[in-house]
């Protein structure tokens, strides 16, 4: 007999970073709807509280832990509060990220540093902090949200490409280290998704090209599409590990 969708993750605990909007918000709600207790991590407290209120109003379980993934103290506090409240970390969704696209010769080094610290180091450090808890359990699942930019480099995207290629390499190396310990890893690689990610692009010309060019030329993915993919990966039987999921809009060519 197959478990009902609303009970697939009953009793499991999931941390979701970047949970205040977009893919993180949709993923938290999707996992909660399947029975998981979700820990919502991001910097924007008001938005996190709103997500938590929606989850609890539907009968779900949510804990808000304001977190800046570039701060070690915040990462350690996130792990500690999760374990104190729920006693486990069954699923970690490393979703927090920024996409600050610029030509390298015109780039602000602060933007390059921010992408590395959020997209890559934050993900690595939180995984490092959560891993000992996971290793004490029989099972756990690490989901790292990367991008098609982690497979194919492009002009005006060198810093972002570097971080996403790094996410892919890091995830595969960790998979090889912990796969015999019952810990699964999944790389999620979305193509064009209609989120606020592109709103923070510092180069106005690039931002306009994406918003009025690329996104307008296709039917982009929605955050919920990626959330469903993550839910699919983490609800597979323990002996099944979806290592990698590349997800593009049907009409995205590259």
């Amino acid at each position: 007999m197959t478990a009902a969708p609303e009970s697939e993750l009953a009793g499991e605990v999931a941390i979701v970073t970047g949970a205040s909007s977009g893919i993180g918000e949709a993923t938290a709600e999707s996992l909660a709807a399947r029975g998981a207790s979700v820990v919502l991590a991001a910097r924007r407290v008001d938005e996190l509280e709103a997500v938590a209120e929606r989850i609890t109003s539907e009968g779900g379980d949510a804990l808000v832990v304001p977190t800046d993934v570039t701060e070690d103290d915040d990462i350690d506090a996130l792990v500690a509060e999760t374990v104190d409240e729920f006693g486990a970390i069954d699923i970690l969704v490393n979703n927090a990220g920024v996409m600050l696209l610029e030509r390298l010769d015109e780039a602000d080094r602060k933007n390059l540093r921010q992408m590395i610290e959020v997209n890559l180091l934050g993900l690595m450090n939180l995984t490092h902090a959560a891993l000992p808890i996971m290793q004490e359990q029989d099972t756990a699942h690490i989901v790292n949200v990367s991008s098609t930019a982690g497979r194919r480099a492009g002009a005006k995207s060198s810093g972002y490409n570097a971080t996403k290629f790094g996410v892919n390499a890091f995830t595969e190396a960790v998979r090889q280290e912990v796969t015999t310990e019952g810990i699964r890893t999944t790389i999620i690689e979305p193509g064009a998704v209609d989120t606020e990610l592109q709103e923070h692009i510092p180069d106005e010309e690039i931002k306009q090209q994406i918003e009025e060019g690329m996104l307008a030329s296709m039917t982009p993915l929605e955050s919920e599409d990626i959330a469903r993919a993550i839910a699919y990966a983490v609800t597979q039987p323990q002996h099944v590990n979806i290592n990698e999921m590349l997800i593009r809009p049907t009409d995205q060519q590259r």
Side-chain angles (χ1 to χ4, degrees), residues 67-144:
T67 305
D68 183 340
V69 296
T70 70
E71 297 290 339
D72 284 346
D73 288 346
D74 281 15
I75 286 174
D76 292 338
L78 172 60
V79 170
E81 289 190 42
T82 299
V83 174
D84 287 346
E85 181 72 18
F86 298 116
I89 302 173
D90 299 296
I91 300 166
L92 170 61
V93 181
N94 283 305
N95 165 73
V98 290
M99 185 175 68
L100 308 177
L101 305 183
E102 300 171 282
R103 282 178 53 99
L104 184 60
D105 55 3
E106 298 174 355
D108 187 326
R109 288 183 185 176
K110 292 180 181 178
N111 292 337
L112 296 175
R113 184 177 299 110
Q114 184 181 1
M115 284 190 289
I116 292 170
E117 290 181 348
V118 176
N119 299 0
L120 184 56
L121 276 177
L123 176 151
M124 293 171 67
N125 289 337
L126 180 51
T127 304
H128 176 267
L131 192 56
I133 308 301
M134 293 178 160
Q135 288 171 317
E136 294 176 358
Q137 304 166 180
D138 293 332
T139 63
H141 202 137
I142 300 164
V143 179
N144 291 332

Side-chain angles (χ1 to χ4, degrees), residues 38 48 72 90 95-96 109 121 136-137 144 147 156 170 180 192-193 209 221 230-231 233:
V38 294
L48 289 179
D72 284 346
D90 299 296
N95 165 73
R109 288 183 185 176
L121 276 177
E136 294 176 358
Q137 304 166 180
N144 291 332
S147 169
K156 305 176 184 178
F170 172 77
T180 60
V193 186
Q209 288 172 350
L221 300 170
I230 293 172

